[in-house]
Amino acid sequence: MELINNAAMVLKDSKFAVAFTGAGISVESGIAPFRGENGIWNKYEEKLFEINYFSSHTKEAWEMLCDGFYEATLKSNPNNAHIALAKLEQNGIIKAVITQNIDNLHTKAGSKNVYELHGNASKLTCLHDGSKYSVQDFDLRIAPCCKKCGTILKPDFVFFGEMLPEKDMRMSVEASRNCDVMLVIGSTGIVYPAASLPVDAKRNGAIIIEINPKPSAFTNEITDIFIPMEAVKAMMQIWDLFKE
């Protein structure tokens, strides 16, 4: 409990705190992480998420994407860790959420300033004319096509071989360099360039609070307060201290 109290005190004293989240925050919403024992890479081939493969095998890629991956992602709901972050933002503590996740759960939970480094699975994009759509507009059992030009649409998240979204990356870099506290939740710290952001925050004087069941690549390098807990339990305890 001392670690939770320390983290809450640091957050209360902060002037510009931001959160940085990885797959671990969404595991308790039923979304498998990409790596680890039950990770997505144990079920799907990585080529499925390569832009060159998608471009040359679009229909086959969509068939595999819809085979469990998309359904689980789109039907998931925010857990109490997502909700606690949203409430901390509503109370002026957390200024922004930088996320590596594509599940849209921070927005569903009520967070407003969300920077999505790897895109968002709830949206679709046309690689031909740039049109954007909501997945709710399509039956994904059939490869969705652009309503303007007929091109098969691509999920609006970042595939291997694609650049990160420029605006979200720019805003994330700015937030990381300006924050005085960064709350890192459920990130392995090994996926770059996203993993460079907590390092930048630390380099610029931020206090790093990390919530992870197991140590990450950040833990022994930049973390000031390490809370070895699942995201939901830790965030609920932190939020409880703000309600008192």
Side-chain angles (χ1 to χ4, degrees), residues 205-219:
I207 298 172
I208 308 298
I209 302 169
E210 182 183 1
I211 297 171
N212 249 328
K214 298 179 181 179
S216 71
F218 296 132
T219 309

Side-chain angles (χ1 to χ4, degrees), residues 141-157:
R141 292 173 296 181
I142 304 170
C145 295
C146 178
K147 296 179 181 180
K148 295 180 180 179
C149 69
T151 301
I152 294 180
L153 298 171
K154 173 191 167 293
D156 199 23
F157 55 76

Side-chain angles (χ1 to χ4, degrees), residues 179-192:
C179 70
D180 57 354
V181 177
M182 179 173 278
L183 178 58
V184 177
I185 308 174
S187 176
T188 60
I190 62 175
V191 179
Y192 281 81

Side-chain angles (χ1 to χ4, degrees), residues 5-198:
N5 287 331
N6 291 344
M9 288 179 60
V10 168
L11 287 167
K12 286 179 179 179
D13 291 340
S14 69
K15 292 181 172 58
F16 194 93
V18 303
F20 177 88
T21 66
I25 195 173
S26 295
V27 168
E28 292 171 273
S29 289
I31 298 179
F34 279 90
R35 294 164 178 80
E37 182 179 351
N38 298 310
I40 288 173
W41 297 146
N42 292 332
K43 183 176 181 181
Y44 299 98
E45 294 182 65
E46 288 194 30
K47 69 177 183 180
L48 173 60
F49 298 93
E50 294 175 356
I51 189 61
N52 288 338
Y53 180 82
F54 181 85
S55 298
S56 58
H57 300 81
T58 309
K59 290 185 178 180
E60 295 92 331
W62 262 112
E63 289 175 2
M64 289 187 284
L65 282 168
C66 291
D67 182 24
F69 171 77
Y70 238 93
E71 182 178 4
T73 301
L74 296 176
K75 289 186 176 180
S76 61
N77 292 309
N79 60 51
N80 283 330
H82 298 104
I83 292 169
L85 278 179
K87 289 180 176 178
L88 287 171
E89 181 189 44
Q90 292 161 14
N91 282 267
I93 304 298
I94 295 293
K95 307 302 183 185
V97 176
I98 302 168
T99 187
Q100 297 172 274
N101 300 334
I102 62 173
D103 51 37
N104 199 42
L105 294 184
H106 287 298
T107 298
K108 283 185 178 181
S111 292
K112 302 300 182 184
N113 295 320
V114 182
Y115 307 140
E116 296 168 319
L117 296 174
H118 297 147
N120 191 316
S122 70
K123 302 173 185 177
L124 303 170
T125 186
C126 178
L127 295 178
H128 179 69
D129 64 21
S131 297
K132 302 283 187 179
Y133 300 92
S134 168
V135 293
Q136 296 178 351
D137 296 335
F138 298 89
D139 178 355
L140 296 183
R141 292 173 296 181
I142 304 170
C145 295
C146 178
K147 296 179 181 180
K148 295 180 180 179
C149 69
T151 301
I152 294 180
L153 298 171
K154 173 191 167 293
D156 199 23
F157 55 76
V158 177
F159 280 54
F160 293 121
E162 288 189 298
M163 299 291 290
L164 301 189
E166 182 180 353
K167 180 181 178 181
D168 288 77
M169 188 62 186
R170 183 177 70 252
M171 297 297 289
S172 297
V173 169
E174 182 178 333
S176 299
R177 292 178 177 174
N178 291 332
C179 70
D180 57 354
V181 177
M182 179 173 278
L183 178 58
V184 177
I185 308 174
S187 176
T188 60
I190 62 175
V191 179
Y192 281 81
S196 66
L197 296 174

